[in-house]
Amino acid sequence: MSKGRHSRDGARVSSYRKEGVEHVLMTPSANVITIMLIQEQELFSSIKDTISMEDKNDDLAKLSLLTEDILLEHLKHRYDKNLIYTYLGDILVAVNPFHETNLYTTQIRDFYRYSTDIQKPPHVYALVDLVYRNVCHGIYKQQCCVISGESGSGKTESTKLFLKQLMYLCGGSSQLEQQILQATPLLESFGNAQTVMNNNSSRFGKYIALKFINGKVIGAQISDYLLEKSRVVIQSPGERNFHIFYYLFDYLPLETKQILCLRTKHDYRYLLTNSSLDVQNATATNSLDEVINAMGLLNFTDKVRILKNNDLSNNGREQHSMFRILSGILTIGNLEFSIDDEGFTQQNFDEEKAKKNLSIIANMFGVNSDLIMECLTTMTTLTRNERVIRKFSLQSSQDARDALSKHLYARLFSWLIGKINETLNNPYSSQSYHHVVEIGLLDIYGFEHFELNSFEQLCINLANEQIQFFFNQHIFRMEMTEYEHEGIIAERLAFTDNQTLLELFMAKPLGILSLLDDESRLPKATDQTFVEKLNYHFGLNKHECYSINRNNKYSFTIHHYAGKVSYCALGFLEKNRDTLSDSVVDMFKNSRDDLIRLLFHGNPSDESIDSNKGLQHRTAAEKDARNRLTVGAQYRNSLQILMDRMCASHPVFMRCLKPNQQKQAYLFDDSFVRAQLRYCGMLETTRIRKEGYSVRLSFEEFIQKYGLLSKARPSNVPSITCRYILEETHLTEWQLGKTKLFLKYYHPEYLEKLMNKYRQAALLIQRRFRGYVGRKHFKQLKSISQIYKNEVNQFCANIEDINSQMIQTLTRLSDKLPGKAVPSVNPEDDHRPRPPVRESSLNSSSQINNTGMAGRHSLPATKMASPPTTPTSTLTTNQLMVDYDSLLSYLTLKYGSPGERESCLKWFRDTQYPYVCHKGTFPSWFHGNITRHRAEELLSKQSVGCFLIRLSESRFGFSLSFRAEDRCRHYMINQLKNLKYNVIGEAKVHKSLDELLLYYRTHELSNWDGHLTEPCKADWSQYDHESLTPIQHNTKNHVNYHSKNNPAQLLKTSTLPISYYANPPFPYSTKICGTRPMMMNNSLNASTKLPIAIVPPFTK
């Protein structure tokens, strides 16, 4: 019986006794709750001071006087105080600190997650909160965040912080959210490199589209733009190759390096270009272990497949195949060619070093070494049924070698993107859902200006021109046009428009890219003729954004929005053509490696491909029929698609600034930052955000969103209703147009705060109503359950009557049998399957006790040996190559509802038994299919950190249960399609459950600061071991009898799934043969209660 009293602070204290122990509960009073809220507010206030100090001038649009010097002074003042974020109206400005800060702690993340303060200090988390609230409230159906700035300004880190906080706001506990986050380090390792401007520079652009329903992410897709694949074979002075190449040497074990035939990184030409190894890599923070873990979480396979002749196959091991390709690329860069007397490349090499390199390349790529040399030294074509072989010069062979390396790496990177999208994409179409919203995140390379600028820099700077044009279009041009159309009174601002420069690049037929394509198609065109054509069309002041370089015939200058950049056109035509020999493509299509065949669109499942067969040569007409797009044309099309996608979304902007060119912390270069402010148009942007109206809503949209804020009766004229709402909310500085309402950038946040009380009231009403409906539905289900229970009891009573009659019949027949005793069946030799046993609920004496034993009489148990089998094809079929949620319907059809005990047991026997059971015994930490309540009872008396693993009660998976300081905690464990295990919500993947437990003995789980300590050992004398063991079918039909009788032995019963009896391996007559020995041993009498079973007809 519970007792109640009150403490000094007014809290109610109650106690009750359970199992002889008194438990005390304390319900906090209103005073205690108030104190807690005050303490929380003080904590948030201290955090706010940390983020924004005195909270002065954090929005430069609120300054009374705006000049370039004032903007620069405020940014420098805040930077010196480690306040790197500043608002320009609704645009966030971030200055790269070049050092670790305390601005991203858990407390600050929670501050921007839970705080309802509309005056939040500027932060990337505040921008995420704004975007996420728009998702939850359905304000915009499509949004995109544009993070721009020059190389080294912090765009990549800002993107990662944005994405991480966005997943945190979603809950951050699902497997999909962790997969989205883990895609970033994987892409960085293959797509980022160190440059002179940035230690972790993105050498490709990406646009991440995240889809949400009711605030929860349901899928994602990554689009990539123009990987700088030339970096694979050559790097500028002071720069490095892609990170992944250095990870292989820095982190791979020695045994793996030997398998991949890797030496030291000083032995490879592709890593020694311009002494790039001497450059200190300060940002290789993602070790290879993190990359491999990300691959595991994203369902990249690494299991060994066994061939028919018991040989190990590299096929099916995607991770290993990727490393083999990388090793082959590095080795092929070491190939050196010699020339014959005529000046052509020789095909046969006599040097031992060349033969060894060829052997390694052939082994890594799964091709024949002779074919490799044929592809790199000759070109074979067919013209009018005549085979023509053309030998390469030394330079042509070197170009063919480098082209092979670049193409192979680029195709590997594209496959990597596709593999990630396959995992992150929602398996169902968008039409299957209602109210799907999208948040796009653009992370693209920044503006670059090196001593030597080539074709890659031209494309990168063109992308930045497009981003700047989109910014100008949205901030200035569209806004001014709409002011005029709606009759809004506003000051017209001048801004730097870069539309003429985009026309210089994109115009047809006289644009730079179009002229480059024309020259690329001409057989006698050169890089010099291309520059001459540019000078003819745009030079001599014919275009304001183009200048001729008199001192270099291969160079020309473009006047970008960020300054003048001179480009060297050497290699432009070849890079734009980006062709790969057809003989190389055919060779790789016939590779023995599945992944390489897939990269070149071969058949990855064809085991009969002969890698030694000759190349399939195509005619010149067949080559011309392909109509390949050039790199410039592909890039122009992809940029246009990106712009169309962004224009269809509501954008939010984040401008990243670089404080100095030395990448040094605590150094603010005034002139360098001033130049960035000028070419980004920061002063004009601040003015238009201060004086303009960035929020424009139609009258109907505004009334639909904020109509509850007006108590006045709505008018038939929408503009009058909008005026009522605005006047009652006491808003100022707004204007009514002809069809739209124009608001300042800070007005929506104020209106949202007023709407919060209505939303809270709506939630309260919904909660009460749903509770009422739930209770009513529960009563109906309870009534129906009682009816079903009565019917089942009646059915069981009828079955028991039939059993009683059968016992009497068998007893009478026993008197007529001959005196020769019939040998009884030895349970150890009886391998016959048994039907499922169910005891009657009408007789309490026949109930099964906790030890799994039946009543007084039961069928003999089937003791099965643990078969040394591998898992069935359940987790390897094509239907299962999707995530767990999409597997649920398939698994339900195969095993039954995941909420039923027998369904989970059958799933475990079919798919998990070989992974959990070792040499016929279960590990001490595995407790079978016990309930959550039973697990808590076992752990309640254990020390903190004591753990166990059990089968999940409501899903096909496992549950990790452990003792924490305050209570027992439970975490779900999934097995991924690549057969690895993962705690849902965690980023780490594991090859086995033993490895998972070993990892969390030294690492923390989410939301808990402790570690797992020791297992709670299972007592299998209390559990049903047989139900977890796969059934070993005996194809023999005979029964072994033994003369020794044992009538009083109590035997366990084995339960088989119902689906087993749909296609039984034995005749039904063998299923009840055990009844006859029981009868002959005088085990049956008139009062015997047999287990209930449906007995099918006898077979002849």
Side-chain angles (χ1 to χ4, degrees):
M1 182 176 180
S2 62
K3 299 177 292 182
R5 61 185 184 274
H6 288 80
S7 62
R8 293 181 180 179
D9 57 6
R12 176 174 175 78
V13 181
S14 60
S15 63
Y16 65 94
R17 298 187 66 84
K18 181 180 180 181
E19 299 178 356
V21 180
E22 184 175 10
H23 300 263
V24 180
L25 299 176
M26 178 177 289
T27 303
S29 65
N31 295 333
V32 175
I33 295 177
T34 302
I35 294 174
M36 293 170 60
L37 291 176
I38 293 174
Q39 292 175 347
E40 183 178 2
Q41 187 64 35
E42 291 176 352
L43 174 63
F44 282 170
S45 298
S46 63
I47 294 174
K48 188 172 180 179
D49 293 338
T50 302
I51 301 173
S52 193
M53 299 294 287
E54 299 177 357
D55 199 24
K56 293 182 179 179
N57 301 327
D58 57 2
D59 187 355
L60 301 185
K62 296 180 179 179
L63 298 177
S64 57
L65 181 61
L66 280 176
T67 63
E68 188 178 89
D69 293 334
I70 292 177
L71 287 180
L72 185 65
E73 180 184 352
H74 279 85
L75 288 175
K76 183 177 181 179
H77 177 72
R78 293 178 61 82
Y79 181 80
D80 292 339
K81 293 186 176 182
N82 202 27
L83 302 176
I84 62 174
Y85 293 109
T86 308
Y87 280 133
L88 291 181
D90 56 351
I91 300 172
L92 182 66
V93 178
V95 185
N96 192 347
F98 288 118
H99 66 86
E100 297 291 335
T101 67
N102 61 344
L103 299 179
Y104 312 106
T105 62
T106 304
Q107 292 80 7
I108 294 178
R109 294 177 66 183
D110 289 336
F111 169 72
Y112 285 98
R113 181 180 184 180
Y114 299 115
S115 176
T116 58
D117 185 6
I118 64 174
Q119 299 297 332
K120 293 180 181 178
H123 200 286
V124 63
Y125 292 165
L127 191 66
V128 179
D129 180 68
L130 171 66
V131 173
Y132 186 71
R133 279 191 284 112
N134 292 339
V135 166
C136 295
H137 299 162
I139 298 178
Y140 301 108
K141 189 173 182 179
Q142 282 185 287
Q143 297 178 96
C144 67
C145 179
V146 181
I147 302 177
S148 59
E150 74 171 48
S151 181
S153 59
K155 298 184 303 300
T156 299
E157 292 301 318
S158 298
T159 301
K160 291 192 288 187
L161 291 169
F162 188 100
L163 199 59
K164 188 174 182 179
Q165 180 69 2
L166 186 59
M167 295 299 101
Y168 183 66
L169 296 181
C170 295
S173 59
S174 75
Q175 184 172 302
L176 176 60
E177 291 161 357
Q178 287 298 325
Q179 288 172 332
I180 293 173
L181 294 177
Q182 288 300 306
T184 300
L186 180 57
L187 290 177
E188 281 189 7
S189 64
F190 281 85
N192 286 28
Q194 181 169 334
T195 67
V196 294
M197 298 182 67
N198 189 358
N199 291 334
N200 188 31
S201 177
S202 297
R203 308 318 300 163
F204 73 106
K206 67 175 179 290
Y207 184 83
I208 307 174
L210 304 164
K211 296 187 181 299
F212 293 81
I213 292 181
N214 297 327
K216 297 296 181 182
V217 61
I218 63 168
Q221 185 176 20
I222 300 175
S223 302
D224 63 301
Y225 303 94
L226 191 67
L227 174 72
E228 188 190 15
K229 56 187 177 183
S230 62
R231 182 170 293 271
V232 175
V233 299
I234 187 171
Q235 303 93 43
S236 299
E239 299 191 354
R240 290 164 61 103
N241 211 318
F242 292 105
H243 293 327
I244 187 63
F245 289 111
Y246 304 97
Y247 290 172
L248 297 180
F249 298 98
D250 295 339
Y251 301 106
L252 271 183
L254 180 61
E255 299 80 6
T256 308
K257 291 181 182 178
Q258 293 176 351
I259 294 175
L260 297 175
C261 302
L262 289 174
R263 298 185 288 273
T264 66
K265 51 189 172 185
H266 299 276
D267 295 325
Y268 294 97
R269 189 178 67 87
Y270 285 165
L271 302 182
L272 288 174
T273 306
N274 296 314
S275 302
S276 61
L277 283 176
D278 298 333
V279 183
Q280 182 180 2
N281 186 12
T283 60
T285 57
N286 297 323
S287 68
L288 190 63
D289 290 338
E290 293 178 281
V291 175
I292 293 176
N293 180 75
M295 290 182 183
L297 190 62
L298 291 165
N299 293 325
F300 287 77
T301 60
D302 65 344
K303 296 293 182 181
V304 179
R305 187 154 57 95
I306 300 178
L307 301 178
K308 295 180 181 179
N309 56 358
N310 294 327
D311 292 336
L312 294 181
S313 170
N314 292 320
N315 297 334
R317 303 178 64 187
E318 294 170 341
Q319 297 181 23
H320 187 65
S321 293
M322 293 168 67
F323 294 152
R324 289 168 61 89
I325 292 174
L326 296 175
S327 174
I329 290 174
L330 291 177
T331 307
I332 204 172
N334 288 348
L335 281 182
E336 297 179 357
F337 303 95
S338 59
I339 58 176
D340 56 16
D341 297 336
E342 298 179 357
F344 295 107
T345 306
Q346 290 184 352
Q347 189 173 24
N348 297 323
F349 291 110
D350 297 329
E351 297 182 8
E352 188 65 27
K353 181 179 179 182
K355 290 182 178 179
K356 184 178 180 180
N357 285 336
L358 271 178
S359 176
I360 293 174
I361 296 168
N363 182 29
M364 295 297 108
F365 293 160
V367 297
N368 187 275
S369 58
D370 293 336
L371 296 183
I372 296 176
M373 290 313 306
E374 181 181 344
C375 293
L376 297 181
T377 57
T378 62
M379 175 179 292
T380 303
T381 57
L382 296 177
T383 57
R384 297 181 180 179
N385 298 327
E386 182 181 0
R387 184 177 180 181
V388 178
I389 299 178
R390 182 171 65 88
K391 293 183 178 181
F392 284 164
S393 64
L394 179 61
Q395 184 62 44
S396 298
S397 293
Q398 293 174 349
D399 293 341
R401 173 198 62 195
D402 293 342
L404 188 152
S405 300
K406 292 186 293 183
H407 272 270
L408 194 54
Y409 190 86
R411 288 177 184 246
L412 178 63
F413 186 79
S414 298
W415 172 83
L416 186 74
I417 297 285
K419 183 73 176 179
I420 294 174
N421 285 335
E422 179 184 344
T423 301
L424 301 184
N425 272 343
N426 192 289
Y428 305 101
S429 61
S430 300
Q431 290 80 7
S432 304
Y433 297 103
H434 301 286
H435 309 297
V436 177
V437 294
E438 179 181 305
I439 295 179
L441 185 58
L442 179 65
D443 176 24
I444 204 163
Y445 14 58
F447 188 85
E448 294 184 349
H449 185 191
F450 301 133
E451 292 183 6
L452 181 63
N453 300 286
S454 186
F455 179 71
E456 290 80 12
Q457 280 67 48
L458 182 77
C459 295
I460 288 172
N461 293 339
L462 173 60
N464 280 269
E465 291 285 354
Q466 282 279 19
I467 300 302
Q468 181 66 19
F469 176 77
F470 176 77
F471 180 83
N472 292 339
Q473 184 81 2
H474 186 82
I475 299 298
F476 298 104
R477 187 187 300 274
M478 292 174 58
E479 194 157 335
M480 292 298 178
T481 302
E482 196 155 14
Y483 289 166
E484 295 178 0
H485 184 266
E486 292 285 333
I488 299 299
I489 302 175
E491 179 183 356
R492 189 168 187 86
L493 297 177
F495 63 95
T496 304
D497 193 357
N498 64 337
Q499 186 172 2
T500 56
L501 187 139
L502 287 177
E503 292 175 352
L504 172 66
F505 276 94
M506 312 288 279
K508 294 181 180 180
L510 294 179
I512 291 180
L513 294 182
S514 296
L515 293 176
L516 180 60
D517 289 347
D518 293 340
E519 289 294 296
S520 300
R521 295 188 184 98
L522 298 177
K524 295 184 178 180
T526 63
D527 297 323
Q528 182 179 350
T529 60
F530 168 65
V531 176
E532 291 174 354
K533 186 171 289 189
L534 292 183
N535 293 337
Y536 174 79
H537 288 287
F538 308 120
L540 302 176
N541 299 324
K542 293 180 181 180
H543 199 286
E544 59 182 347
C545 298
Y546 183 91
S547 297
I548 299 176
N549 287 349
R550 305 288 183 182
N551 299 329
N552 191 339
K553 61 183 179 181
Y554 292 103
S555 179
F556 61 94
T557 301
I558 301 295
H559 299 251
H560 288 283
Y561 77 97
K564 296 180 181 180
V565 179
S566 295
Y567 296 97
C568 180
L570 287 175
F572 265 45
L573 296 185
E574 186 61 33
K575 291 179 179 179
N576 188 51
R577 294 189 186 108
D578 194 35
T579 55
L580 185 64
S581 172
D582 291 321
S583 58
V584 175
V585 176
D586 292 334
M587 175 183 68
F588 283 138
K589 280 186 177 180
N590 298 323
S591 171
R592 295 186 299 271
D593 188 277
D594 281 351
L595 180 56
I596 291 183
R597 289 206 307 275
L598 186 62
L599 296 183
F600 289 85
H601 307 290
N603 184 4
S605 61
D606 188 2
E607 297 283 355
S608 61
I609 290 181
D610 184 9
S611 62
N612 295 319
K613 69 180 182 180
L615 301 175
Q616 300 174 0
H617 304 290
R618 296 182 176 88
T619 64
E622 290 175 325
K623 296 178 184 178
D624 295 338
R626 292 186 171 191
N627 294 325
R628 298 187 184 98
L629 284 176
T630 63
V631 173
Q634 295 177 24
Y635 192 59
R636 176 171 51 195
N637 294 341
S638 62
L639 282 181
Q640 187 59 49
I641 293 174
L642 175 63
M643 290 299 107
D644 294 341
R645 194 169 190 175
M646 292 171 59
C647 289
S649 307
H650 176 77
V652 292
F653 295 97
M654 180 176 178
R655 283 288 192 181
C656 296
L657 299 178
K658 192 175 180 180
N660 57 78
Q661 291 180 300
Q662 292 77 26
K663 298 181 286 188
Q664 183 177 342
Y666 308 107
L667 176 61
F668 193 92
D669 188 340
D670 292 13
S671 59
F672 183 66
V673 177
R674 185 189 299 271
Q676 295 177 71
L677 293 178
R678 283 179 179 175
Y679 70 67
C680 288
M682 286 295 183
L683 181 61
E684 295 84 357
T685 302
T686 308
R687 285 177 177 172
I688 199 169
R689 277 296 176 258
K690 176 183 175 66
E691 302 170 5
Y693 304 91
S694 59
V695 181
R696 301 177 289 276
L697 297 173
S698 66
F699 296 146
E700 292 76 12
E701 288 177 336
F702 183 78
I703 294 173
Q704 182 181 1
K705 286 182 173 66
Y706 306 111
L708 293 175
L709 298 178
S710 174
K711 298 179 182 179
R713 190 171 184 178
S715 172
N716 294 329
V717 181
S719 59
I720 297 178
T721 304
C722 292
R723 184 180 295 274
Y724 289 159
I725 298 173
L726 293 170
E727 290 176 351
E728 291 192 34
T729 54
H730 306 292
L731 280 182
T732 57
E733 298 187 60
W734 47 266
Q735 290 196 43
L736 289 175
K738 298 177 181 178
T739 61
K740 292 183 179 181
L741 175 65
F742 290 77
L743 303 173
K744 296 290 186 180
Y745 66 90
Y746 53 84
H747 283 160
E749 199 163 9
Y750 176 76
L751 293 173
E752 288 295 323
K753 184 178 180 181
L754 298 179
M755 286 293 297
N756 278 338
K757 65 177 182 178
Y758 294 100
R759 294 193 179 101
Q760 295 296 329
L763 289 176
L764 179 61
I765 295 173
Q766 291 178 8
R767 184 165 63 246
R768 299 292 187 185
F769 180 75
R770 288 174 179 172
Y772 165 75
V773 173
R775 288 189 294 272
K776 184 177 179 180
H777 184 57
F778 173 75
K779 291 180 180 179
Q780 294 175 353
L781 293 178
K782 189 175 181 180
S783 176
I784 296 174
S785 175
Q786 186 62 40
I787 295 174
Y788 287 164
K789 184 177 181 181
N790 295 336
E791 292 178 354
V792 171
N793 289 341
Q794 183 62 39
F795 175 76
C796 293
N798 294 337
I799 294 297
E800 289 191 355
D801 291 341
I802 296 174
N803 281 343
S804 298
Q805 296 175 11
M806 182 180 294
I807 293 298
Q808 294 175 6
T809 302
L810 293 175
T811 304
R812 289 196 301 269
L813 290 175
S814 64
D815 298 336
K816 299 180 181 181
L817 291 175
K820 185 177 180 180
V822 179
S824 62
V825 179
N826 188 344
E828 296 183 357
D829 298 328
D830 186 10
H831 295 286
R832 296 165 298 175
R834 299 290 181 255
V837 175
R838 175 174 180 171
E839 293 294 333
S840 172
S841 60
L842 300 178
N843 191 341
S844 59
S845 63
S846 63
Q847 293 180 353
I848 298 176
N849 56 27
N850 292 334
T851 62
M853 305 294 293
R856 186 174 175 216
H857 298 286
S858 62
L859 292 177
T862 304
K863 186 174 182 180
M864 310 304 301
S866 301
T869 58
T870 57
T872 63
S873 60
T874 305
L875 291 180
T876 58
T877 54
N878 292 332
Q879 294 94 327
L880 296 185
M881 293 296 103
V882 288
D883 290 330
Y884 177 82
D885 293 338
S886 58
L887 282 176
L888 187 56
S889 59
Y890 173 81
L891 295 175
T892 301
L893 290 175
K894 186 173 180 64
Y895 301 115
S897 173
E900 296 179 1
R901 174 181 179 272
E902 185 54 47
S903 302
C904 294
L905 288 175
K906 189 171 188 298
W907 169 81
F908 175 83
R909 290 193 296 262
D910 281 0
T911 66
Q912 302 300 310
Y913 179 81
Y915 297 102
V916 178
C917 185
H918 304 290
K919 297 181 180 180
T921 59
F922 290 113
S924 60
W925 43 258
F926 183 63
H927 284 246
N929 61 325
I930 64 173
T931 63
R932 176 190 178 111
H933 179 68
R934 176 59 178 161
E936 292 179 350
E937 288 182 349
L938 293 173
L939 294 171
S940 61
K941 301 177 182 179
Q942 305 296 331
S943 59
V944 174
C946 186
F947 63 89
L948 60 88
I949 288 183
R950 56 188 173 85
L951 286 179
S952 179
E953 300 175 79
S954 59
R955 55 195 300 278
F956 296 117
F958 297 95
S959 292
L960 170 63
S961 303
F962 60 90
R963 182 81 167 87
E965 293 81 358
D966 53 346
R967 59 184 173 87
C968 289
R969 292 175 177 263
H970 307 273
Y971 287 72
M972 294 184 292
I973 300 176
N974 261 356
Q975 188 181 41
L976 306 176
K977 74 175 185 180
N978 54 14
L979 304 184
K980 291 188 176 182
Y981 295 92
N982 165 250
V983 177
I984 294 182
E986 302 293 326
K988 183 69 175 175
V989 295
H990 313 272
K991 295 181 179 180
S992 64
L993 292 175
D994 290 293
E995 183 181 301
L996 182 147
L997 295 174
L998 184 63
Y999 177 82
Y1000 288 112
R1001 286 190 174 190
T1002 56
H1003 295 77
E1004 295 180 358
L1005 282 158
S1006 297
N1007 303 322
W1008 189 51
D1009 298 331
H1011 299 149
L1012 301 182
T1013 55
E1014 58 182 8
C1016 178
K1017 297 184 178 180
D1019 182 7
W1020 281 99
S1021 64
Q1022 302 294 323
Y1023 299 153
D1024 188 2
H1025 186 283
E1026 301 290 338
S1027 63
L1028 298 169
T1029 306
I1031 302 166
Q1032 182 179 8
H1033 301 310
N1034 187 2
T1035 57
K1036 296 182 180 180
N1037 243 354
H1038 67 276
V1039 180
N1040 295 324
Y1041 293 100
H1042 300 273
S1043 58
K1044 187 175 181 179
N1045 300 329
N1046 190 5
Q1049 185 180 10
L1050 292 176
L1051 300 173
K1052 293 182 180 180
T1053 60
S1054 73
T1055 302
L1056 304 184
I1058 298 300
S1059 59
Y1060 174 81
Y1061 298 95
N1063 298 292
F1066 303 107
Y1068 283 118
S1069 58
T1070 63
K1071 295 188 186 303
I1072 60 169
C1073 289
T1075 308
R1076 182 180 177 88
M1078 292 173 64
M1079 178 186 67
M1080 297 305 299
N1081 292 331
N1082 297 322
S1083 299
L1084 300 179
N1085 52 53
S1087 62
T1088 300
K1089 298 294 185 181
L1090 287 178
I1092 296 174
I1094 305 299
V1095 181
F1098 289 95
T1099 58
K1100 296 182 180 180

